[in-house]
Structures are given as structure tokens and as C-alpha cells.
Amino acid sequence: MRKRHHHEDEAEINITPMLDVVFIMLIFFIVTTSFVKETGVDISRPSSSQAKEVKKGNILVAIKEDGAIWINKQQVELRAVRSRIEKMHAENPEANAVIIADRGSRTGDLVEVMDQIKSAGVPGISIAAEKGER
């Protein structure tokens, strides 16, 4: 007697091309995502009706109410601001500086930080504010 081998063709879905497309899309979204830079501290910014949004990559410097200066999520002394900014400016020569000063910070601290940034060779300095009516 002859045995009959009856093989049914099993339906198989090949998902390899779909996985390739998913990985390509994932890479596309990661590359095109813009990451938001933060200073590392919460600042209560003053409001201004003249505030504008700046699109370029920036060097962010935060000044807290107690006079503490923060750059890249690290607290720095005033005398170290210039060297830190020079290093960041060398990495991104087109970047401008944005000072995010707390509403209760001293004007003297703001002016000293601006002086250090200008000494580091950064061409433009902006002061961050919340857009609002006064």
C-alpha cells in the first residue's frame, strides 16, 4: 500500500518587509525630532508684550532668584561662566546666548552674566520672557 502524504500549503505571512518599513520610519522620526534644551532649573520668567520666539540653536544660561547660575543642568560660579560659554560657543559658533533670569533675580547678577557672555565672544544675547500683556 502506498502512503499518501498530503501536505496542505500553510498560509504564511511574511512580515519582514513590514518590519523594515517600521524601522526606517523609526529612524526617520528620531533624526527629524528636535530636542528641547533645558537649563536644569525652574525659573519664573517675567512677562513682556514684546517677547519673540528665537528659532536658532542657543546657549541657555539660567539665573535663579538667589543668584545661582545654571548652564547645561549644572550650577556654575560666575567666574566659570566665561570659560563654559567659550567652550559651548566653539562647539556651535552660530549660537546666540539666552539668559533665563528669574523674576526675583538681581539686575546686578544679570549684568555680570551678560558681561561674561560678551567676553566669551558670543555675538548676540537675549533675555527670556513670557509673552503676555502688561
Short mmCIF file of all heavy atoms in Angstrom, two decimals, residues 55-119:
data_model
loop_
_atom_site.label_atom_id
_atom_site.label_comp_id
_atom_site.label_asym_id
_atom_site.label_seq_id
_atom_site.Cartn_x
_atom_site.Cartn_y
_atom_site.Cartn_z
N LYS A 55 14.43 80.94 16.94
CA LYS A 55 14.46 79.59 16.38
C LYS A 55 15.84 78.95 16.38
O LYS A 55 15.96 77.76 16.33
CB LYS A 55 13.93 79.62 14.94
CG LYS A 55 12.49 80.04 14.84
CD LYS A 55 11.59 78.92 15.24
CE LYS A 55 10.15 79.31 15.00
NZ LYS A 55 9.23 78.36 15.54
N LYS A 56 16.93 79.73 16.37
CA LYS A 56 18.28 79.17 16.28
C LYS A 56 18.64 78.35 17.50
O LYS A 56 18.07 78.52 18.57
CB LYS A 56 19.31 80.30 16.17
CG LYS A 56 19.43 80.94 14.84
CD LYS A 56 20.57 81.91 14.91
CE LYS A 56 20.78 82.67 13.65
NZ LYS A 56 21.82 83.65 13.79
N GLY A 57 19.68 77.52 17.34
CA GLY A 57 20.23 76.83 18.49
C GLY A 57 20.87 77.84 19.41
O GLY A 57 21.56 78.75 18.97
N ASN A 58 20.62 77.72 20.69
CA ASN A 58 21.06 78.73 21.62
C ASN A 58 21.85 78.13 22.78
O ASN A 58 21.74 76.95 23.07
CB ASN A 58 19.86 79.49 22.19
CG ASN A 58 19.14 80.29 21.14
OD1 ASN A 58 19.76 81.03 20.41
ND2 ASN A 58 17.84 80.11 21.04
N ILE A 59 22.60 78.99 23.42
CA ILE A 59 23.30 78.67 24.65
C ILE A 59 22.42 79.22 25.77
O ILE A 59 22.20 80.42 25.85
CB ILE A 59 24.70 79.31 24.68
CG1 ILE A 59 25.54 78.79 23.51
CG2 ILE A 59 25.37 79.06 26.02
CD1 ILE A 59 26.83 79.56 23.28
N LEU A 60 21.89 78.34 26.61
CA LEU A 60 20.97 78.76 27.65
C LEU A 60 21.68 78.91 28.99
O LEU A 60 22.40 78.01 29.42
CB LEU A 60 19.84 77.75 27.79
CG LEU A 60 19.01 77.49 26.53
CD1 LEU A 60 17.97 76.41 26.80
CD2 LEU A 60 18.35 78.76 26.05
N VAL A 61 21.45 80.06 29.62
CA VAL A 61 22.03 80.35 30.94
C VAL A 61 20.88 80.78 31.84
O VAL A 61 20.13 81.69 31.50
CB VAL A 61 23.08 81.47 30.86
CG1 VAL A 61 23.66 81.76 32.23
CG2 VAL A 61 24.17 81.12 29.87
N ALA A 62 20.74 80.12 32.99
CA ALA A 62 19.65 80.46 33.92
C ALA A 62 20.23 81.15 35.16
O ALA A 62 21.31 80.78 35.64
CB ALA A 62 18.91 79.20 34.34
N ILE A 63 19.51 82.16 35.63
CA ILE A 63 19.88 82.84 36.88
C ILE A 63 18.69 82.70 37.82
O ILE A 63 17.60 83.19 37.52
CB ILE A 63 20.20 84.33 36.65
CG1 ILE A 63 21.31 84.48 35.61
CG2 ILE A 63 20.58 84.99 37.96
CD1 ILE A 63 21.56 85.92 35.21
N LYS A 64 18.91 82.03 38.94
CA LYS A 64 17.84 81.85 39.92
C LYS A 64 17.70 83.08 40.80
O LYS A 64 18.55 83.97 40.80
CB LYS A 64 18.11 80.61 40.77
CG LYS A 64 17.98 79.32 39.97
CD LYS A 64 18.03 78.12 40.86
CE LYS A 64 16.79 78.13 41.70
NZ LYS A 64 16.44 76.89 42.32
N GLU A 65 16.63 83.09 41.57
CA GLU A 65 16.34 84.22 42.45
C GLU A 65 17.45 84.45 43.47
O GLU A 65 17.75 85.58 43.83
CB GLU A 65 15.01 83.96 43.17
CG GLU A 65 14.48 85.13 43.93
CD GLU A 65 13.09 84.87 44.46
OE1 GLU A 65 12.56 83.76 44.33
OE2 GLU A 65 12.53 85.83 45.03
N ASP A 66 18.09 83.38 43.92
CA ASP A 66 19.17 83.50 44.91
C ASP A 66 20.53 83.84 44.28
O ASP A 66 21.54 83.89 44.98
CB ASP A 66 19.28 82.23 45.75
CG ASP A 66 19.62 81.00 44.92
OD1 ASP A 66 19.74 81.11 43.67
OD2 ASP A 66 19.77 79.91 45.51
N GLY A 67 20.57 84.04 42.96
CA GLY A 67 21.80 84.41 42.27
C GLY A 67 22.58 83.24 41.71
O GLY A 67 23.63 83.42 41.10
N ALA A 68 22.08 82.00 41.90
CA ALA A 68 22.76 80.82 41.38
C ALA A 68 22.65 80.81 39.85
O ALA A 68 21.61 81.12 39.29
CB ALA A 68 22.13 79.55 41.95
N ILE A 69 23.77 80.46 39.20
CA ILE A 69 23.84 80.44 37.74
C ILE A 69 23.91 78.99 37.28
O ILE A 69 24.73 78.21 37.79
CB ILE A 69 25.08 81.22 37.24
CG1 ILE A 69 25.02 82.67 37.75
CG2 ILE A 69 25.18 81.18 35.73
CD1 ILE A 69 26.32 83.41 37.61
N TRP A 70 23.05 78.63 36.33
CA TRP A 70 22.98 77.26 35.83
C TRP A 70 23.20 77.24 34.32
O TRP A 70 22.61 78.02 33.60
CB TRP A 70 21.61 76.65 36.13
CG TRP A 70 21.40 76.34 37.57
CD1 TRP A 70 21.15 77.24 38.57
CD2 TRP A 70 21.43 75.07 38.18
NE1 TRP A 70 21.02 76.59 39.76
CE2 TRP A 70 21.18 75.26 39.55
CE3 TRP A 70 21.62 73.78 37.70
CZ2 TRP A 70 21.14 74.19 40.43
CZ3 TRP A 70 21.57 72.72 38.58
CH2 TRP A 70 21.34 72.93 39.94
N ILE A 71 24.08 76.32 33.87
CA ILE A 71 24.33 76.10 32.45
C ILE A 71 24.35 74.59 32.25
O ILE A 71 25.08 73.88 32.94
CB ILE A 71 25.67 76.72 31.99
CG1 ILE A 71 25.71 78.21 32.27
CG2 ILE A 71 25.92 76.43 30.51
CD1 ILE A 71 27.05 78.86 32.01
N ASN A 72 23.57 74.10 31.28
CA ASN A 72 23.51 72.66 30.99
C ASN A 72 23.26 71.81 32.23
O ASN A 72 23.98 70.86 32.49
CB ASN A 72 24.78 72.18 30.29
CG ASN A 72 24.76 72.47 28.82
OD1 ASN A 72 23.74 72.83 28.26
ND2 ASN A 72 25.90 72.32 28.19
N LYS A 73 22.27 72.17 33.01
CA LYS A 73 21.86 71.43 34.19
C LYS A 73 22.93 71.32 35.26
O LYS A 73 22.91 70.42 36.09
CB LYS A 73 21.36 70.04 33.79
CG LYS A 73 20.17 70.08 32.87
CD LYS A 73 19.72 68.70 32.48
CE LYS A 73 18.57 68.83 31.51
NZ LYS A 73 18.15 67.57 30.96
N GLN A 74 23.90 72.24 35.23
CA GLN A 74 24.94 72.26 36.25
C GLN A 74 25.07 73.68 36.79
O GLN A 74 25.10 74.64 36.02
CB GLN A 74 26.28 71.82 35.68
CG GLN A 74 26.32 70.37 35.25
CD GLN A 74 27.67 69.99 34.70
OE1 GLN A 74 28.47 70.84 34.32
NE2 GLN A 74 27.94 68.70 34.64
N GLN A 75 25.18 73.78 38.10
CA GLN A 75 25.38 75.09 38.70
C GLN A 75 26.85 75.47 38.54
O GLN A 75 27.74 74.66 38.77
CB GLN A 75 25.01 75.06 40.17
CG GLN A 75 25.03 76.43 40.81
CD GLN A 75 24.48 76.43 42.22
OE1 GLN A 75 23.93 75.43 42.67
NE2 GLN A 75 24.61 77.54 42.90
N VAL A 76 27.09 76.71 38.10
CA VAL A 76 28.46 77.19 37.90
C VAL A 76 28.65 78.51 38.64
O VAL A 76 27.70 79.25 38.87
CB VAL A 76 28.79 77.38 36.40
CG1 VAL A 76 28.73 76.08 35.65
CG2 VAL A 76 27.88 78.38 35.76
N GLU A 77 29.87 78.78 39.00
CA GLU A 77 30.23 80.05 39.63
C GLU A 77 30.32 81.12 38.54
O GLU A 77 30.57 80.82 37.38
CB GLU A 77 31.57 79.93 40.34
CG GLU A 77 31.55 78.95 41.51
CD GLU A 77 30.69 79.44 42.65
OE1 GLU A 77 30.66 80.67 42.93
OE2 GLU A 77 30.00 78.60 43.25
N LEU A 78 30.17 82.37 38.94
CA LEU A 78 30.23 83.48 37.99
C LEU A 78 31.56 83.50 37.25
O LEU A 78 31.60 83.72 36.04
CB LEU A 78 30.00 84.82 38.71
CG LEU A 78 30.08 86.05 37.82
CD1 LEU A 78 28.98 86.02 36.76
CD2 LEU A 78 29.98 87.32 38.66
N ARG A 79 32.66 83.24 37.94
CA ARG A 79 33.98 83.29 37.30
C ARG A 79 34.18 82.16 36.29
O ARG A 79 35.07 82.24 35.44
CB ARG A 79 35.08 83.30 38.35
CG ARG A 79 35.15 82.04 39.17
CD ARG A 79 36.27 82.11 40.21
NE ARG A 79 36.36 80.89 40.96
CZ ARG A 79 35.72 80.65 42.09
NH1 ARG A 79 34.96 81.59 42.61
NH2 ARG A 79 35.85 79.51 42.71
N ALA A 80 33.35 81.10 36.35
CA ALA A 80 33.47 79.98 35.41
C ALA A 80 32.54 80.12 34.21
O ALA A 80 32.62 79.33 33.27
CB ALA A 80 33.19 78.67 36.13
N VAL A 81 31.68 81.14 34.22
CA VAL A 81 30.71 81.31 33.14
C VAL A 81 31.42 81.54 31.81
O VAL A 81 31.09 80.93 30.80
CB VAL A 81 29.73 82.46 33.46
CG1 VAL A 81 28.88 82.81 32.24
CG2 VAL A 81 28.83 82.09 34.62
N ARG A 82 32.40 82.42 31.81
CA ARG A 82 33.10 82.76 30.55
C ARG A 82 33.73 81.53 29.90
O ARG A 82 33.54 81.29 28.71
CB ARG A 82 34.16 83.83 30.80
CG ARG A 82 34.90 84.21 29.54
CD ARG A 82 35.92 85.27 29.79
NE ARG A 82 36.66 85.56 28.57
CZ ARG A 82 37.54 86.49 28.46
NH1 ARG A 82 37.83 87.27 29.48
NH2 ARG A 82 38.17 86.68 27.32
N SER A 83 34.47 80.73 30.67
CA SER A 83 35.13 79.56 30.08
C SER A 83 34.11 78.53 29.60
O SER A 83 34.28 77.92 28.54
CB SER A 83 36.09 78.92 31.08
OG SER A 83 35.40 78.46 32.22
N ARG A 84 33.03 78.35 30.33
CA ARG A 84 32.00 77.40 29.92
C ARG A 84 31.32 77.86 28.63
O ARG A 84 31.07 77.08 27.72
CB ARG A 84 30.98 77.26 31.05
CG ARG A 84 29.88 76.27 30.84
CD ARG A 84 30.34 74.82 30.98
NE ARG A 84 30.88 74.51 32.27
CZ ARG A 84 30.22 73.93 33.26
NH1 ARG A 84 28.96 73.60 33.10
NH2 ARG A 84 30.82 73.66 34.39
N ILE A 85 31.04 79.16 28.54
CA ILE A 85 30.39 79.71 27.34
C ILE A 85 31.35 79.65 26.15
O ILE A 85 30.93 79.36 25.03
CB ILE A 85 29.91 81.16 27.59
CG1 ILE A 85 28.86 81.19 28.70
CG2 ILE A 85 29.38 81.79 26.33
CD1 ILE A 85 27.58 80.47 28.38
N GLU A 86 32.64 79.94 26.37
CA GLU A 86 33.61 79.85 25.28
C GLU A 86 33.64 78.44 24.70
O GLU A 86 33.69 78.26 23.47
CB GLU A 86 35.00 80.24 25.77
CG GLU A 86 35.21 81.72 25.94
CD GLU A 86 36.56 82.07 26.56
OE1 GLU A 86 37.22 81.18 27.16
OE2 GLU A 86 36.94 83.25 26.46
N LYS A 87 33.61 77.45 25.56
CA LYS A 87 33.62 76.06 25.12
C LYS A 87 32.36 75.74 24.31
O LYS A 87 32.43 75.12 23.24
CB LYS A 87 33.71 75.14 26.34
CG LYS A 87 33.77 73.68 26.01
CD LYS A 87 33.91 72.86 27.27
CE LYS A 87 33.84 71.39 26.97
NZ LYS A 87 33.85 70.58 28.18
N MET A 88 31.20 76.16 24.80
CA MET A 88 29.95 75.90 24.10
C MET A 88 29.89 76.67 22.78
O MET A 88 29.38 76.16 21.78
CB MET A 88 28.76 76.26 24.99
CG MET A 88 28.63 75.37 26.21
SD MET A 88 27.36 75.94 27.34
CE MET A 88 25.89 75.50 26.44
N HIS A 89 30.42 77.88 22.77
CA HIS A 89 30.42 78.69 21.56
C HIS A 89 31.36 78.10 20.50
O HIS A 89 31.09 78.18 19.30
CB HIS A 89 30.83 80.13 21.89
CG HIS A 89 30.73 81.07 20.73
ND1 HIS A 89 29.55 81.28 20.04
CD2 HIS A 89 31.66 81.86 20.13
CE1 HIS A 89 29.77 82.16 19.08
NE2 HIS A 89 31.04 82.51 19.11
N ALA A 90 32.46 77.48 20.93
CA ALA A 90 33.37 76.82 19.99
C ALA A 90 32.69 75.62 19.33
O ALA A 90 32.93 75.34 18.16
CB ALA A 90 34.64 76.37 20.71
N GLU A 91 31.82 74.93 20.06
CA GLU A 91 31.10 73.78 19.51
C GLU A 91 30.01 74.22 18.53
O GLU A 91 29.70 73.50 17.59
CB GLU A 91 30.46 72.97 20.64
CG GLU A 91 31.46 72.27 21.53
CD GLU A 91 30.82 71.66 22.76
OE1 GLU A 91 29.57 71.73 22.91
OE2 GLU A 91 31.57 71.11 23.59
N ASN A 92 29.41 75.40 18.77
CA ASN A 92 28.33 75.90 17.91
C ASN A 92 28.54 77.41 17.71
O ASN A 92 27.94 78.22 18.40
CB ASN A 92 26.97 75.62 18.56
CG ASN A 92 25.82 75.94 17.66
OD1 ASN A 92 26.00 76.38 16.52
ND2 ASN A 92 24.63 75.75 18.15
N PRO A 93 29.40 77.80 16.75
CA PRO A 93 29.77 79.21 16.57
C PRO A 93 28.61 80.13 16.19
O PRO A 93 28.69 81.33 16.40
CB PRO A 93 30.82 79.18 15.45
CG PRO A 93 31.24 77.78 15.32
CD PRO A 93 30.13 76.93 15.85
N GLU A 94 27.54 79.59 15.62
CA GLU A 94 26.42 80.43 15.21
C GLU A 94 25.40 80.66 16.32
O GLU A 94 24.45 81.41 16.15
CB GLU A 94 25.73 79.81 14.00
CG GLU A 94 26.62 79.78 12.78
CD GLU A 94 25.90 79.20 11.58
OE1 GLU A 94 24.68 79.01 11.65
OE2 GLU A 94 26.58 78.95 10.58
N ALA A 95 25.59 80.01 17.45
CA ALA A 95 24.61 80.10 18.53
C ALA A 95 24.69 81.44 19.24
O ALA A 95 25.76 82.04 19.39
CB ALA A 95 24.85 78.97 19.54
N ASN A 96 23.54 81.92 19.65
CA ASN A 96 23.45 83.10 20.49
C ASN A 96 23.15 82.65 21.91
O ASN A 96 22.74 81.51 22.14
CB ASN A 96 22.33 84.03 20.00
CG ASN A 96 22.69 84.67 18.68
OD1 ASN A 96 23.82 85.07 18.45
ND2 ASN A 96 21.72 84.75 17.78
N ALA A 97 23.32 83.53 22.87
CA ALA A 97 23.06 83.20 24.26
C ALA A 97 21.68 83.72 24.66
O ALA A 97 21.27 84.80 24.26
CB ALA A 97 24.13 83.81 25.16
N VAL A 98 20.99 82.92 25.45
CA VAL A 98 19.71 83.32 26.01
C VAL A 98 19.83 83.21 27.52
O VAL A 98 20.15 82.14 28.05
CB VAL A 98 18.55 82.43 25.50
CG1 VAL A 98 17.25 82.83 26.18
CG2 VAL A 98 18.42 82.53 24.00
N ILE A 99 19.61 84.32 28.20
CA ILE A 99 19.65 84.33 29.66
C ILE A 99 18.22 84.22 30.15
O ILE A 99 17.36 85.02 29.80
CB ILE A 99 20.30 85.63 30.20
CG1 ILE A 99 21.72 85.76 29.66
CG2 ILE A 99 20.29 85.63 31.72
CD1 ILE A 99 22.38 87.07 30.00
N ILE A 100 17.98 83.21 30.97
CA ILE A 100 16.67 83.00 31.55
C ILE A 100 16.78 83.39 33.03
O ILE A 100 17.22 82.59 33.85
CB ILE A 100 16.22 81.53 31.39
CG1 ILE A 100 16.30 81.13 29.93
CG2 ILE A 100 14.82 81.33 31.93
CD1 ILE A 100 16.19 79.66 29.68
N ALA A 101 16.44 84.63 33.32
CA ALA A 101 16.58 85.15 34.67
C ALA A 101 15.25 85.07 35.40
O ALA A 101 14.21 85.39 34.85
CB ALA A 101 17.07 86.60 34.63
N ASP A 102 15.30 84.63 36.65
CA ASP A 102 14.10 84.57 37.47
C ASP A 102 13.57 85.98 37.72
O ASP A 102 14.33 86.94 37.77
CB ASP A 102 14.43 83.89 38.81
CG ASP A 102 13.19 83.50 39.56
OD1 ASP A 102 12.62 84.36 40.27
OD2 ASP A 102 12.79 82.33 39.44
N ARG A 103 12.26 86.07 37.86
CA ARG A 103 11.61 87.36 38.10
C ARG A 103 12.20 88.09 39.31
O ARG A 103 12.33 89.29 39.32
CB ARG A 103 10.11 87.11 38.31
CG ARG A 103 9.28 88.33 38.52
CD ARG A 103 7.83 87.95 38.81
NE ARG A 103 7.29 86.94 37.92
CZ ARG A 103 6.60 87.22 36.82
NH1 ARG A 103 6.36 88.47 36.50
NH2 ARG A 103 6.13 86.26 36.07
N GLY A 104 12.61 87.34 40.32
CA GLY A 104 13.15 87.94 41.54
C GLY A 104 14.67 88.06 41.58
O GLY A 104 15.23 88.45 42.60
N SER A 105 15.35 87.73 40.49
CA SER A 105 16.82 87.81 40.49
C SER A 105 17.28 89.27 40.43
O SER A 105 16.55 90.15 39.97
CB SER A 105 17.41 87.02 39.32
OG SER A 105 16.99 87.56 38.10
N ARG A 106 18.49 89.49 40.91
CA ARG A 106 19.04 90.85 40.94
C ARG A 106 19.51 91.28 39.56
O ARG A 106 20.07 90.48 38.81
CB ARG A 106 20.22 90.93 41.91
CG ARG A 106 19.85 90.69 43.34
CD ARG A 106 21.05 90.73 44.28
NE ARG A 106 22.31 90.48 43.59
CZ ARG A 106 23.42 91.22 43.75
NH1 ARG A 106 23.42 92.22 44.58
NH2 ARG A 106 24.51 90.94 43.09
N THR A 107 19.32 92.54 39.26
CA THR A 107 19.77 93.10 37.98
C THR A 107 21.29 93.01 37.87
O THR A 107 21.84 92.76 36.80
CB THR A 107 19.31 94.56 37.85
OG1 THR A 107 17.91 94.62 38.05
CG2 THR A 107 19.64 95.11 36.48
N GLY A 108 21.97 93.19 39.00
CA GLY A 108 23.44 93.10 39.00
C GLY A 108 23.93 91.74 38.55
O GLY A 108 24.91 91.65 37.81
N ASP A 109 23.26 90.67 38.99
CA ASP A 109 23.65 89.32 38.57
C ASP A 109 23.46 89.17 37.06
O ASP A 109 24.31 88.60 36.37
CB ASP A 109 22.80 88.27 39.29
CG ASP A 109 23.07 88.23 40.79
OD1 ASP A 109 24.16 88.65 41.21
OD2 ASP A 109 22.17 87.76 41.52
N LEU A 110 22.36 89.70 36.56
CA LEU A 110 22.08 89.64 35.12
C LEU A 110 23.15 90.36 34.32
O LEU A 110 23.68 89.84 33.33
CB LEU A 110 20.70 90.22 34.83
CG LEU A 110 20.29 90.31 33.37
CD1 LEU A 110 20.10 88.93 32.78
CD2 LEU A 110 19.02 91.12 33.23
N VAL A 111 23.53 91.54 34.76
CA VAL A 111 24.54 92.33 34.05
C VAL A 111 25.90 91.64 34.10
O VAL A 111 26.63 91.61 33.09
CB VAL A 111 24.62 93.76 34.63
CG1 VAL A 111 25.79 94.53 34.05
CG2 VAL A 111 23.32 94.51 34.37
N GLU A 112 26.26 91.05 35.23
CA GLU A 112 27.54 90.35 35.34
C GLU A 112 27.60 89.14 34.41
O GLU A 112 28.61 88.89 33.76
CB GLU A 112 27.79 89.92 36.79
CG GLU A 112 28.11 91.09 37.71
CD GLU A 112 28.22 90.67 39.16
OE1 GLU A 112 27.90 89.50 39.48
OE2 GLU A 112 28.61 91.51 39.98
N VAL A 113 26.48 88.39 34.34
CA VAL A 113 26.43 87.23 33.44
C VAL A 113 26.51 87.69 31.98
O VAL A 113 27.22 87.10 31.17
CB VAL A 113 25.17 86.39 33.70
CG1 VAL A 113 24.97 85.34 32.62
CG2 VAL A 113 25.26 85.72 35.06
N MET A 114 25.79 88.78 31.64
CA MET A 114 25.86 89.31 30.28
C MET A 114 27.29 89.71 29.93
O MET A 114 27.75 89.46 28.81
CB MET A 114 24.94 90.52 30.14
CG MET A 114 23.47 90.17 30.11
SD MET A 114 22.41 91.62 30.04
CE MET A 114 22.68 92.15 28.37
N ASP A 115 28.00 90.31 30.87
CA ASP A 115 29.38 90.72 30.64
C ASP A 115 30.27 89.50 30.38
O ASP A 115 31.12 89.53 29.48
CB ASP A 115 29.88 91.52 31.84
CG ASP A 115 31.25 92.11 31.61
OD1 ASP A 115 31.49 92.65 30.50
OD2 ASP A 115 32.10 92.05 32.54
N GLN A 116 30.07 88.43 31.14
CA GLN A 116 30.87 87.21 30.95
C GLN A 116 30.59 86.58 29.58
O GLN A 116 31.50 86.12 28.91
CB GLN A 116 30.56 86.20 32.07
CG GLN A 116 31.03 86.62 33.43
CD GLN A 116 32.54 86.66 33.53
OE1 GLN A 116 33.23 85.74 33.07
NE2 GLN A 116 33.07 87.72 34.10
N ILE A 117 29.32 86.60 29.19
CA ILE A 117 28.95 86.02 27.89
C ILE A 117 29.55 86.85 26.75
O ILE A 117 30.08 86.31 25.78
CB ILE A 117 27.42 85.92 27.76
CG1 ILE A 117 26.89 84.90 28.77
CG2 ILE A 117 27.01 85.54 26.35
CD1 ILE A 117 25.38 84.87 28.89
N LYS A 118 29.47 88.16 26.86
CA LYS A 118 30.04 89.04 25.83
C LYS A 118 31.55 88.86 25.76
O LYS A 118 32.13 88.83 24.67
CB LYS A 118 29.68 90.49 26.16
CG LYS A 118 29.62 91.40 24.98
CD LYS A 118 28.58 90.94 23.99
CE LYS A 118 28.27 92.06 23.04
NZ LYS A 118 27.58 91.59 21.86
N SER A 119 32.20 88.68 26.91
CA SER A 119 33.65 88.45 26.94
C SER A 119 34.03 87.13 26.28
O SER A 119 35.15 86.97 25.80
CB SER A 119 34.16 88.45 28.38
OG SER A 119 33.93 89.69 28.99
#
